[in-house]
Amino acid sequence: MTTAPIRLSAAVMSHPKRAAAAHALAARFPELNVQVALDPEPDGPPSALRSARLAWAAVAPDATHHLVLQDDALPADNFLERLHALIVAQPEAALSLFAEWCSRTSYAVRIAAMHGHHLAPVIDSYVPCQALVLPAETARGFDAYVEAKVDKSTEDDVALLHYLADRGISRLIPVANLADHDTDVSLVGNNVHGLRTSACLVPAHLAPLPAVPSVLTGLGTVPCYDFWGQYADACIIDPASVDGRVRSSARVFLLEQGITEGEMATELQAALGRLPGRAFLTDRVSDIVLTEVWIVSYLLGFLAADLDGRGGASLDLTGPVASAALASLAPGAIRRIVPVRWLPAVGELLTLLVLDGVRAGMARVPVRG
């Protein structure tokens, strides 16, 4: 932890078509003198990299850290106070403040929440940069790095991943995210992803950050969900990859642990039999998707309990932070295949199934030691 004073500068990256939103967001933090970085080639091919370069270069001369917000970021309550505490605790890290609810990192957030940690590693194949803080010198170096080493058609979040990896900068996220994502129209075509909501939003008073926040470490394989193809996957450690992992099959991983698909299917049917509103749920979500959500939940429970080493005895599934993180899993997974008007009701029912799946996976881990 640092005792040096934190001096934060900030910028909002945007496109001229969304300049009004960018300036409105900047005006929320007058104490930061937030700069607005508009795409210098607004008629060029859609790309966030151009405005990102300007935003990261807009570091105040005396700043110790620099915050960049995208114009559709929604800062959480007590944003600056919570952010300051976070930077004091992790002054050398790249701090993503938002994880999309079906990203790889969202599963790291869930495992961290179940273990009671305050910070989790960022493990996506990009750097979540809806709201991102870098040490000032790191921020200042990004533009030159892009100019020298990055194809200009690269997405800004991918360029940031390579830049931070090359510099050996650790990438962390607060389990209780400090920002959400607006649902406005994307200018770079991301609306096809469906709603991109936070993995874990919790009011500040329910997620206080201690002076020395704990960080989830030792994370090996993590669950992940392919929301395009609707598959339950597992991300396996791969030192050769810039993001450190490669995607594999959740079924294959679980089978290697002695858990068969047939066993999971039997447990799923039992869980569905206990589920209130089953008819409503199965009328709107196919058996195929229910099975995939069950398997990824099962894998989440297994891996979280296996990391604990006590068969999951100390894991939290019901506290405010863990509850919020687990409640976002199902709607995040199905947001492209269920109409928005049904998503809250379907997501709520599916969350009951997720919790059953997590507990079933936890129960398969033997106590060690």
Side-chain angles (χ1 to χ4, degrees):
M1 182 185 299
T2 184
T3 56
I6 299 299
R7 296 183 299 275
L8 184 66
S9 64
V12 176
M13 53 181 283
S14 186
H15 187 279
K17 290 181 179 178
R18 293 181 52 85
H23 283 285
L25 179 56
R28 290 186 54 182
F29 306 107
E31 61 270 59
L32 295 182
N33 188 28
V34 180
Q35 304 299 300
V36 173
L38 298 178
D39 186 345
E41 300 177 33
D43 297 323
S47 170
L49 184 60
R50 295 188 295 267
S51 56
R53 294 177 67 177
L54 294 177
W56 287 112
V59 188
D62 65 340
T64 62
H65 294 79
H66 189 59
L67 164 70
V68 170
L69 298 167
Q70 295 182 4
D71 60 31
D72 54 0
L74 299 174
D77 62 320
N78 296 94
F79 177 75
L80 288 183
E81 179 183 346
R82 296 165 76 181
L83 178 56
H84 186 272
L86 187 62
I87 296 171
V88 168
Q90 290 287 340
E92 306 300 324
L95 298 168
S96 291
L97 308 180
F98 165 85
E100 188 265 318
W101 57 356
C102 197
S103 60
R104 292 183 189 179
T105 295
S106 73
Y107 286 90
V109 162
R110 292 178 184 109
I111 292 173
M114 292 162 70
H115 282 271
H117 293 297
H118 308 96
L119 293 160
V122 169
I123 57 171
D124 292 304
S125 56
Y126 57 90
V127 173
C129 55
Q130 187 73 16
L132 176 65
V133 174
L134 298 180
E137 286 308 306
T138 304
R140 290 188 182 102
F142 180 63
D143 184 59
Y145 178 87
V146 171
E147 186 62 33
K149 295 189 175 183
V150 176
D151 184 300
K152 303 314 179 286
S153 64
T154 304
E155 297 293 340
D156 61 322
D157 51 9
V158 175
L160 279 161
L161 172 67
H162 286 268
Y163 173 58
L164 297 174
D166 282 357
R167 285 204 158 194
I169 305 293
S170 63
R171 306 179 297 278
L172 297 173
I173 186 166
V175 172
N177 289 185
L178 296 191
D180 203 356
H181 183 273
D182 200 354
T183 57
D184 207 347
V185 174
S186 168
L187 296 180
V188 292
N190 285 332
N191 289 98
V192 295
H193 293 266
L195 293 177
R196 290 165 287 151
T197 295
S198 164
C200 184
L201 273 183
V202 183
H205 71 280
L206 294 178
L209 191 72
V212 184
S214 60
V215 183
L216 173 64
T217 59
L219 192 62
T221 298
V222 292
C224 53
Y225 195 86
D226 182 344
F227 64 86
W228 288 97
Q230 294 296 308
Y231 298 119
D233 287 334
C235 290
I236 313 295
I237 292 288
D238 176 20
S241 171
V242 67
D243 58 271
R245 282 173 174 78
V246 63
R247 182 167 288 195
S248 183
S249 164
R251 286 174 172 78
V252 170
F253 180 87
L254 286 166
L255 186 58
E256 290 171 349
Q257 317 310 312
I259 302 170
T260 69
E261 189 171 354
E263 290 175 281
M264 288 188 288
T266 298
E267 291 178 279
L268 170 58
Q269 289 308 309
L272 284 170
R274 299 188 295 268
L275 189 68
R278 175 180 180 174
F280 174 83
L281 180 63
T282 55
D283 184 53
R284 285 158 177 80
V285 181
S286 74
D287 289 345
I288 294 171
V289 171
L290 288 176
T291 298
E292 298 301 322
V293 171
W294 175 260
I295 291 174
V296 82
S297 303
Y298 204 105
L299 179 58
L300 174 62
F302 181 90
L303 291 170
D306 192 48
L307 184 69
D308 178 71
R310 288 179 284 170
S314 64
L315 296 186
D316 172 23
L317 274 63
T318 60
V321 178
S323 292
L326 291 168
S328 71
L329 188 158
I334 63 171
R335 83 286 185 100
R336 290 193 75 245
I337 60 170
V338 171
V340 171
R341 67 183 183 277
W342 287 343
L343 195 56
V346 172
E348 185 175 349
L349 284 174
L350 260 182
T351 295
L352 298 175
L353 200 65
V354 165
L355 290 169
D356 267 356
V358 168
R359 293 188 185 99
M362 289 167 55
R364 298 302 299 268
V365 178
V367 176
R368 298 196 298 268

